[in-house]
Amino acid sequence: MKQDIEVHKNNPIQLTEQPLAKALVNPTVTIPTRITARLVSHSEIMWGWLPALSVIVAAGVMLVALAYTGSRAGKDWAEFPFWFGILTFSVPVAVRLLAAKASRQERMGLVVLVGLSYYLVKVLHSPVAFTFSDEPVHSYNVTQILATQHLFHENHLLKATPLYPGLAIVTSAIVTLSGLSIFSAGLLVIGVARITLVLALFLLYERASGSSRVAGVAALFYMANPNFTFYSAQYAYESLALPIAMVCLMTIVRRLGVARGAQRIDLTIVILLTLMAVEMTHHMTSYAITMLLFAWWLISLLKNKLQPRLTKWYERLVGWGTQRIARLRHSGVGGDRMMRWWITFTSPEPNSSTSYDSASSGDIGALALIAAVSTLAWLVYIAGVTISYLSPVFLRTVRALIALTAGDAPEGTSRQLFRSTSGYVAPLWEQATALGSVVFLLLGLPLGLYVIWRRYRGHTLALVLSGGALVYFGLLGLRFLPSGWEMANRSSEFLFVGIGFVLGLGIVEVWSRYRAGWAGKLLFMGFMGVIVLGGVILGWSPNGRFARPYLVQVGTHTVEPQGVTAAKWSRTYLGPDHIFATDASNARLLLAFGQQHPYTGERYGIRDMLLSGRVGWAETEILQTMAVQYVLVDRRVISWDQLVGYYFNRAGTGDIQQEQLLEPNVYRKFDKQQYVSRFYDSGNIVIYDVGAVSGVAPVK
Amino acid sequence: MVWRQSSDLLIVILAAGAALLVALMPVDNLALRTLVALPIVLLVPGYATQAAIFPSRVMSTVERGLFSVGLSLAVTVLGGVLLNLSPWGLQQISWAVLLGAVTLLMCSIALLRRLWYGGGGVSIPEAPSLGHTLLFGLAGAIVIGAIAIARTPVSSQGLQGYTSLWLLPSANGDARSVLLGISSEEFTTRQYRLELHMNQRLLHELSSIELATGEQWEQQVDLPADLPDGVIEAVLYRLDAPEVVYRRATLWRTAK
């Protein structure tokens, strides 16, 4: 008989019993055993597999770096190491987090490791400059603060962003005090925010479930949300607001577990400080936390008010069910097993060690009201322009929801999944994996909901998180509608907090109950792998997923893309703060590198004006209405895609193929205009002075 | 006992003092400034604040760290909005003074509350063993290598360089001259020919301009005195393709 006993703290000795002789006699006879001892340090137990897994995780990150190097060089093999790298840094950690033996410290370390690795995927994609679509916008805000030493300047591209200055404030503080570039400081801020987010989530889940094991697994499921890898990792205000919101939420949960007194006041101060910081950093995150608090309050109120009545109905239902099953058993259908199952299902387990639900609904209600009032106050007195910025998104979502529920989405307006706006169609394996990830999440949902029903149905936070998980699946249908896709996508990182919790509970329950061996581990690895890859596939356009050439080394000189050079040229030779009309990519470059005021897109008719084949009265009117002084024309079609328009184009011969260019009558239309100077030409990019047409006097 | 257990507050105050010192004295060393700036923005004010708010609370190191970072971010955001309202604005000195003052104030409150309630000090987690440290070091080295690989610029194979041409009014506003410029971001050294025209009249010609990658050429060109109003055109040719217009720039000119 062999027995391993690991002990720690005061008795760090591992004992094994081994038989001195084989059991040739009757196996019931006790055979003398020899005891050997092995010292197991406290450090080994606390750190567990973390050091070894950190090397594996780093290897996964290296694979992603190699993949990006290959994609920049135009190599076809780049896809495989990319996907394999992501699996390498996530799946082995998932298996370890599911193990019972891992210590709390190890679990937290593993969660941070994977969270950082996901962040490095984004950093390695763009390691020298901000190239994600919102990044130049926020970088410009920092530049303006550094230049003016004050807040709330103007940003033509995204007007709301300077009015939520949290990210720009923190970054400008680091730049001012350290001398680092905005890019370096920005990477550091979001990296620290990322660590904060995953740790706060871990602690939140741990408080909600009473188990660090569930917390680790739940945090990992959260990281599989479609926006975690790229969207929530970019240098943008939500990437900072969400982690602070998680700290706020974690503190609220902690506060509810504390009896009245000075300690509650202490925690309230923390909640208020972090809540205010969220409200000054990102609009949607502040709305999300406000809505969460109201949902929590509502469920708490309903639970308190309806609990006696619900309990009575429930007891009647249980009684009726028990009678029916007893009758069936009497008539030979079903049996003891069915009765045992029924009793197990209907009887709650003793609660796990969570005491956070002991507080009254008034506490949550007060916090919800404070959140709502302060969010509204900031919106009304500081950031009123957000209303015109966000209301079209909300209205489109409402219309899409109505259309979806009524089942009458107009013909031709449905959105094709896995087809990008540029016409790229995802390969079959990506489509299967992405759909498979959604199916697997759905399959895991009932497991978690069952555990919540058995153990946490009296806990309001668990009910709120479950509600969030269900709402996520309810909103999935919006992804089929162009008008609803944006809201469905943007809500992922908020609603997945619920999905992580529910799935974490369910998977740990199944794992513990059935003590799965190697077959179970392999099955789980496959399950996790599909969910992880599916999240990445769903979250970012395939166009933008792989790195493209941004800097080219020629001898000792590094060549930047044409758009960057043109933007810097405009700053040097034209001066800052001029109004430009241009495409989506160059608008961002002009903002970040040129400090200009660019207009782009369909708003104000800029896109129609730039893509028309003539300069008629409609085009002239747009130029005059927007007081455009300069037009930057990029003849590449790809420049209208702000995910990929910044980069060098790679083609077989090195020349841009004709089908990738706009029609000549489109990009040359300003050449024939009287009094319009074409004073900058770099091949793909031409800058025109249209002041004479728009009526703007030249300034310089 | 409380004083002994409050060495963490002393460290925090010293960090704030270092930030103020670096802000007041012009320090060029980027590494030193970064070493001082990052904690003062991302950790120190929050640590002091949570020490003041939770003087005797038993808290794990991770929770304490999380509150420190979360509160530092909150304090910095709120502090930035306050500085915006002040006449000094958001600049190096004002940041150092604000964050330093918050840290000092919170540390004082923390110390007083520790004296009142007792408690204080930080539990340091057990250090990893040598083997673990080597593994962590290896992981760190791999990640640094990955970042270095990713930051390496690509070779020019399969890509196309470019040349920029510009034609602007002269910098001093004189209508009798124009500013011509060429910048090469080609992948090899190129030779160009540049012509300046108006109404098919050749005003100026430069038959051979050679630029290596990253080089720039610029010249103010005087125009003939009898030039009427109209369009001035600059045309750039590559000497290896002398018949093909490579770049073209125009400038509407008025004699005033």
Side-chain angles (χ1 to χ4, degrees):
Chain A
M1 191 165 59
K2 190 176 174 187
Q3 184 183 8
D4 283 343
I5 306 164
E6 277 193 17
V7 292
H8 55 88
K9 280 248 170 159
N10 297 325
N11 191 17
I13 294 175
Q14 183 182 51
L15 303 176
T16 57
E17 290 182 35
Q18 291 177 332
L20 286 171
K22 283 189 180 177
L24 297 174
V25 298
N26 189 325
T28 57
V29 171
T30 303
I31 299 167
T33 56
R34 179 178 62 209
I35 294 175
T36 57
R38 183 175 84 82
L39 281 174
V40 177
S41 70
H42 185 241
S43 170
E44 269 184 51
I45 293 161
M46 295 309 290
W47 292 103
W49 282 84
L50 180 62
L53 280 171
S54 69
V55 177
I56 294 174
V57 166
V61 170
M62 175 60 88
L63 281 171
V64 172
L66 291 171
Y68 282 152
T69 303
S71 69
R72 287 191 195 96
K75 304 296 181 197
D76 292 331
W77 51 257
E79 272 209 59
F80 177 74
F82 175 77
W83 296 115
F84 193 65
I86 290 179
L87 289 173
T88 303
F89 71 60
S90 55
V91 172
V93 170
V95 174
R96 179 59 182 171
L97 282 171
L98 211 47
K101 284 184 183 174
S103 70
R104 183 175 183 258
Q105 179 174 301
E106 183 188 347
R107 293 183 196 281
M108 283 194 285
L110 288 171
V111 161
V112 168
L113 210 55
V114 177
L116 267 181
S117 301
Y118 271 109
Y119 180 57
L120 283 172
V121 171
K122 182 266 170 196
V123 172
L124 294 172
H125 180 288
S126 305
V128 294
F130 288 137
T131 62
F132 283 53
S133 53
D134 284 351
E135 290 181 327
V137 175
H138 292 282
S139 165
Y140 173 77
N141 292 339
V142 179
T143 311
Q144 291 302 106
I145 293 174
L146 294 171
T148 62
Q149 293 168 354
H150 281 90
L151 307 175
F152 307 126
H153 50 274
E154 203 174 357
N155 185 315
H156 276 57
L157 221 47
L158 278 180
K159 289 183 186 294
T161 55
L163 306 173
Y164 291 90
L167 176 67
I169 288 173
V170 175
T171 312
S172 66
I174 293 176
V175 172
T176 305
L177 290 169
S178 68
L180 285 172
S181 65
I182 296 175
F183 176 69
S184 302
L187 285 188
L188 282 166
V189 169
I190 302 302
V192 168
R194 174 55 65 94
I195 297 172
T196 306
L197 171 66
V198 296
L199 274 177
L201 266 173
F202 180 94
L203 292 173
L204 173 73
Y205 287 141
E206 190 182 42
R207 286 248 151 200
S209 65
S211 161
S212 63
R213 190 181 181 189
V214 170
V217 176
L220 207 63
F221 275 117
Y222 177 81
M223 293 188 226
N225 91 64
N227 289 338
F228 192 75
T229 311
F230 290 113
Y231 185 81
S232 297
Q234 64 176 332
Y235 182 70
Y237 44 7
E238 187 186 293
S239 307
L240 181 63
L242 190 57
I244 303 176
M246 282 302 128
V247 173
C248 181
L249 200 55
M250 182 204 80
T251 313
I252 292 172
V253 171
R254 196 187 169 93
R255 179 181 178 274
L256 295 178
V258 170
R260 294 192 182 279
Q263 288 177 357
R264 280 169 66 89
I265 298 171
D266 296 342
L267 289 164
T268 305
I269 295 170
V270 176
I271 292 167
L272 293 176
L273 284 174
T274 47
L275 197 58
M276 281 197 288
V278 170
E279 284 154 7
M280 294 175 189
T281 304
H282 187 230
H283 35 71
M284 289 286 287
T285 308
S286 60
Y287 306 157
I289 200 168
T290 305
M291 283 194 286
L292 173 84
L293 289 172
F294 270 107
W296 194 339
W297 185 26
L298 190 67
I299 291 173
S300 183
L301 275 176
L302 288 172
K303 200 164 71 73
N304 291 342
K305 282 207 161 2
L306 298 177
Q307 184 131 11
R309 200 180 298 180
L310 282 173
T311 308
K312 208 191 283 184
W313 287 345
Y314 183 67
E315 282 167 3
R316 271 194 211 156
L317 179 69
V318 171
W320 175 85
T322 309
Q323 278 179 358
R324 295 291 297 178
I325 291 171
R327 266 191 221 141
L328 285 169
R329 199 173 69 172
H330 190 68
S331 54
V333 178
D336 289 340
R337 186 178 272 187
M338 190 190 275
M339 181 60 81
R340 272 201 301 274
W341 174 84
W342 177 249
I343 292 169
T344 305
F345 181 76
T346 53
S347 310
E349 279 186 25
N351 286 339
S352 49
S353 58
T354 51
S355 58
Y356 60 87
D357 218 17
S358 60
S360 71
S361 59
D363 290 333
I364 289 295
L367 288 172
L369 280 171
I370 291 170
V373 167
S374 49
T375 300
L376 206 59
W378 189 265
L379 179 68
V380 168
Y381 291 108
I382 305 291
V385 76
T386 315
I387 298 170
S388 58
Y389 168 60
L390 285 181
S391 53
V393 178
F394 283 118
L395 284 172
R396 281 200 300 267
T397 306
V398 169
R399 274 191 228 119
L401 272 170
I402 294 169
L404 200 64
T405 47
D408 61 356
E411 287 289 329
T413 60
S414 64
R415 188 174 159 269
Q416 272 192 299
L417 296 181
F418 308 114
R419 179 184 284 273
S420 71
T421 47
S422 58
Y424 173 84
V425 178
L428 204 59
W429 81 266
E430 280 191 22
Q431 297 185 36
T433 306
L435 290 172
S437 72
V438 176
V439 169
F440 282 0
L441 289 176
L442 264 172
L443 287 176
L445 201 64
L447 300 173
L449 291 175
Y450 174 73
V451 175
I452 290 171
W453 167 255
R454 297 265 358 260
R455 291 191 206 132
Y456 302 96
R457 62 182 183 234
H459 288 263
T460 322
L461 178 60
L463 297 176
V464 172
L465 293 175
S466 313
L470 292 170
V471 168
Y472 174 80
F473 287 105
L475 289 182
L476 275 180
L478 288 179
R479 286 182 180 260
F480 291 94
L481 299 173
S483 52
W485 176 85
E486 190 176 355
M487 185 55 79
N489 186 50
R490 293 285 294 272
S491 59
S492 308
E493 57 265 36
F494 303 111
L495 298 174
F496 240 80
V497 178
I499 289 185
F501 180 67
V502 173
L503 254 72
L505 281 174
I507 297 300
V508 169
E509 174 71 15
V510 167
W511 196 262
S512 311
R513 189 180 288 271
Y514 295 106
R515 297 188 186 278
W518 277 105
K521 284 194 175 110
L522 282 170
L523 204 65
F524 175 70
M525 285 165 74
F527 175 81
M528 204 63 213
V530 168
I531 288 179
V532 161
L533 294 186
V536 177
I537 292 167
L538 286 169
W540 206 247
S541 163
N543 261 355
R545 207 180 286 148
F546 290 94
R548 291 174 181 238
Y550 187 86
L551 290 181
V552 179
Q553 191 72 36
V554 180
T556 56
H557 184 71
T558 309
V559 180
E560 291 177 317
Q562 272 192 53
V564 174
T565 304
K568 289 181 178 177
W569 180 91
S570 74
R571 173 84 170 87
T572 307
Y573 287 90
L574 304 178
D577 300 324
H578 296 293
I579 295 181
F580 273 75
T582 185
D583 57 84
S585 302
N586 284 294
R588 282 151 173 81
L589 295 176
L590 281 169
L591 188 70
F593 293 103
Q595 271 88 70
Q596 308 295 350
H597 294 307
Y599 284 116
T600 189
E602 282 155 7
R603 209 176 180 193
Y604 313 121
I606 299 295
R607 187 185 165 98
D608 290 339
M609 184 272 293
L610 286 171
L611 296 181
S612 81
R614 52 193 286 269
V615 184
W617 68 265
E619 289 77 18
T620 306
E621 195 182 4
I622 291 167
L623 290 172
Q624 288 170 345
T625 307
M626 305 314 299
V628 174
Q629 184 168 357
Y630 301 108
V631 170
L632 186 152
V633 175
D634 188 329
R635 61 180 185 162
R636 301 169 309 143
V637 172
I638 205 171
S639 67
W640 285 97
D641 185 344
Q642 66 256 35
L643 283 182
V644 294
Y646 314 111
Y647 302 98
F648 282 89
N649 290 93
R650 184 172 290 284
T653 61
D655 294 326
I656 297 177
Q657 294 157 8
Q658 286 305 309
E659 61 267 24
Q660 297 171 356
L661 301 179
L662 297 171
E663 295 296 320
N665 65 321
V666 169
Y667 66 78
R668 287 182 187 153
K669 61 176 177 285
F670 287 102
D671 286 347
K672 306 184 195 69
Q673 288 304 113
Q674 212 176 20
Y675 305 121
V676 170
S677 300
R678 173 195 164 109
F679 52 51
Y680 178 89
D681 181 1
S682 65
N684 288 330
I685 290 176
V686 174
I687 300 178
Y688 296 92
D689 180 351
V690 296
V693 176
S694 61
V696 175
V699 177
K700 189 171 183 283
Chain B
M1 179 75 164
V2 170
W3 297 102
R4 249 203 323 268
Q5 285 183 334
S6 297
S7 53
D8 57 328
L9 298 180
L10 182 62
I11 294 170
V12 158
I13 292 171
L14 286 174
L20 194 58
L21 210 62
V22 166
L24 288 171
M25 294 165 49
V27 174
D28 283 334
N29 191 316
L30 184 67
L32 179 64
R33 286 180 66 186
T34 306
L35 203 64
V36 167
L38 287 180
I40 195 65
V41 176
L42 297 175
L43 189 65
V44 159
Y47 184 89
T49 307
Q50 63 84 31
I53 291 174
F54 310 121
S56 58
R57 176 170 286 275
V58 174
M59 211 185 285
S60 71
T61 310
V62 171
E63 270 194 310
R64 205 172 277 282
L66 201 61
F67 278 126
S68 300
V69 172
L71 284 169
S72 284
L73 291 170
V75 162
T76 306
V77 170
L78 296 169
V81 174
L82 283 174
L83 282 178
N84 183 60
L85 297 170
S86 75
W88 307 289
L90 288 79
Q91 48 178 315
Q92 190 176 16
I93 299 279
S94 57
W95 270 122
V97 167
L98 173 78
L99 296 174
V102 166
T103 303
L104 196 59
L105 177 66
M106 291 298 151
C107 284
S108 308
I109 296 173
L111 196 57
L112 286 170
R113 294 191 82 191
R114 283 180 186 182
L115 284 169
W116 183 260
Y117 291 108
V122 181
S123 63
I124 313 282
E126 187 166 331
S129 64
L130 178 63
H132 290 168
T133 307
L134 286 172
L135 286 171
F136 283 133
L138 177 61
I142 294 173
V143 168
I144 290 170
I147 295 172
I149 287 170
R151 285 177 61 91
T152 307
V154 297
S155 74
S156 56
Q157 194 178 7
L159 299 173
Q160 196 177 22
Y162 56 94
T163 300
S164 307
L165 169 73
W166 58 92
L167 172 64
L168 292 167
S170 87
N172 57 13
D174 183 3
R176 292 168 298 177
S177 62
V178 292
L179 181 67
L180 271 170
I182 307 169
S183 166
S184 172
E185 300 293 341
E186 304 280 354
F187 297 152
T188 57
T189 300
R190 293 248 187 249
Q191 290 175 321
Y192 307 92
R193 187 177 93 248
L194 182 61
E195 293 178 357
L196 200 64
H197 299 266
M198 186 176 195
N199 296 333
Q200 295 180 355
R201 174 183 168 186
L202 183 65
L203 304 174
H204 196 71
E205 184 181 9
L206 289 140
S207 56
S208 180
I209 303 168
E210 184 174 289
L211 294 175
T213 311
E215 279 190 350
Q216 181 173 305
W217 171 93
E218 205 168 72
Q219 187 173 314
Q220 191 144 308
V221 175
D222 293 324
L223 301 172
D226 62 341
L227 207 61
D229 293 354
V231 182
I232 301 173
E233 187 184 34
V235 184
L236 187 72
Y237 301 89
R238 275 167 44 180
L239 290 188
D240 58 342
E243 303 302 318
V244 177
V245 173
Y246 191 49
R247 298 287 183 261
R248 193 171 73 88
T250 63
L251 181 66
W252 278 84
R253 177 186 172 273
T254 54
K256 273 191 195 171

